Amino acid sequence: AQKVTQAQTEISVVEKEDVTLDCVYETRDTTYYLFWYKQPPSGELVFLIRRNSFDEQNEISGRYSWNFQKSTSSFNFTITASQVVDSAVYFCALSEVSGGYQKVTFGTGTKLQVIP
Amino acid sequence: DVKVTQSSRYLVKRTGEKVFLECVQDMDHENMFWYRQDPGLGLRLIYFSYDVKMKEKGDIPEGYSVSREKKERFSLILESASTNQTSMYLCASNSGYYNEQFFGPGTRLTVL
């Protein structure tokens, strides 16, 4: 069975600090995709990134970067020079095909508070 | 601008009432999903649909049913609302197997 673990429930950082959100997953499939979503206080989840299981290249987008390591089944998310607008709940998710259908499993989320 | 809309942001119902939550997407997506979000539990899948009139149970379907009569619309039904169904309900849609999901703003349902 697939599983996504976000061990950090809540993190507080001071503005401009770097912060890493951890995500560990479990799957038996060789083909799968990993995602990060952001849920700001307004409530609507926003897609941030998708990474497939065959592409272990790290990705950087502005202040955001993602480190995918199949050897440790981790897909961690780093925010550099955090800002107050980064305050949100962040979800990691795993997508596989199971029984002919897409099966998406979300982690329990990490609440990030950036203090000015 | 792509959109997933939900019929209500906030809803208050009484125990035993029948509750309808509506979700509409304008992206011609074949897949639609209903989740509930509770503190400490993340998002849990209630039902999903991969085509019109098709539906599949998710991880927590008990106490819920769904309807998908048109491709763009996916309804979640609480046949007899109970207090343990007080939660945030999120609708999402996507296409294919591995694409990102687009989420609606959520409906915060309180059952008294």
Side-chain angles (χ1 to χ4, degrees):
Chain A
Q2 59 188 74
K3 185 178 177 182
V4 176
T5 301
Q6 294 181 255
Q8 304 150 307
T9 306
E10 290 192 41
I11 301 175
S12 290
V13 298
V14 176
E15 200 171 21
K16 298 184 183 176
E17 286 184 347
D18 299 348
V19 59
T20 295
L21 309 183
D22 297 333
C23 174
V24 174
Y25 63 92
E26 294 177 26
T27 178
R28 294 180 181 174
D29 280 11
T30 55
T31 302
Y32 54 89
Y33 277 70
L34 295 161
F35 302 82
W36 277 95
Y37 291 87
K38 174 182 180 180
Q39 186 180 40
S42 60
E44 190 166 329
L45 271 81
V46 175
F47 164 73
L48 295 177
I49 190 171
R50 177 182 71 166
R51 174 65 72 221
N52 76 58
S53 53
F54 301 107
D55 181 5
E56 285 193 73
Q57 275 194 327
N58 292 331
E59 181 152 341
I60 298 173
S61 177
R63 296 184 298 105
Y64 295 172
S65 62
W66 291 268
N67 180 261
F68 176 31
Q69 292 197 334
K70 286 179 77 170
S71 60
T72 56
S73 297
S74 64
F75 186 43
N76 297 336
F77 173 28
T78 298
I79 302 174
T80 302
S82 59
Q83 300 177 1
V84 172
V85 293
D86 296 326
S87 296
V89 180
Y90 291 86
F91 289 95
C92 180
L94 167 66
S95 178
E96 300 172 313
V97 174
S98 175
Y101 310 125
Q102 180 186 36
K103 169 78 172 170
V104 181
T105 300
F106 283 82
T108 52
T110 296
K111 184 176 182 179
L112 174 65
Q113 183 179 15
V114 181
I115 303 165
Chain B
D1 197 18
V2 295
K3 276 276 190 198
V4 177
T5 57
Q6 296 183 229
S7 49
S8 306
R9 288 301 303 267
Y10 299 94
L11 208 52
V12 179
K13 295 292 182 181
R14 297 215 172 267
T15 301
E17 281 192 79
K18 191 168 187 176
V19 181
F20 293 87
L21 303 182
E22 302 263 304
C23 175
V24 178
Q25 50 95 4
D26 65 0
M27 295 163 279
D28 202 35
H29 286 161
E30 61 269 22
N31 303 323
M32 295 188 75
F33 308 81
W34 274 107
Y35 294 91
R36 65 176 281 176
Q37 181 180 6
D38 301 288
L41 297 177
L43 275 69
R44 294 181 292 167
L45 181 64
I46 304 171
Y47 268 96
F48 66 99
S49 169
Y50 55 92
D51 201 352
V52 177
K53 297 192 186 295
M54 306 302 287
K55 61 184 179 184
E56 291 293 331
K57 293 180 180 179
D59 299 317
I60 52 164
E62 297 77 21
Y64 303 94
S65 62
V66 291
S67 172
R68 192 162 180 205
E69 296 296 318
K70 293 185 178 181
K71 190 175 185 179
E72 67 272 16
R73 189 180 298 270
F74 191 36
S75 301
L76 179 69
I77 303 156
L78 286 65
E79 296 289 343
S80 178
S82 63
T83 54
N84 62 14
Q85 292 178 309
T86 292
S87 186
M88 169 70 88
Y89 290 88
L90 296 168
C91 175
S93 72
N94 75 349
S95 60
Y97 288 123
Y98 297 115
N99 293 324
E100 67 271 22
Q101 294 172 308
F102 293 85
F103 283 84
T107 296
R108 186 166 293 282
L109 172 68
T110 301
V111 182
L112 301 175

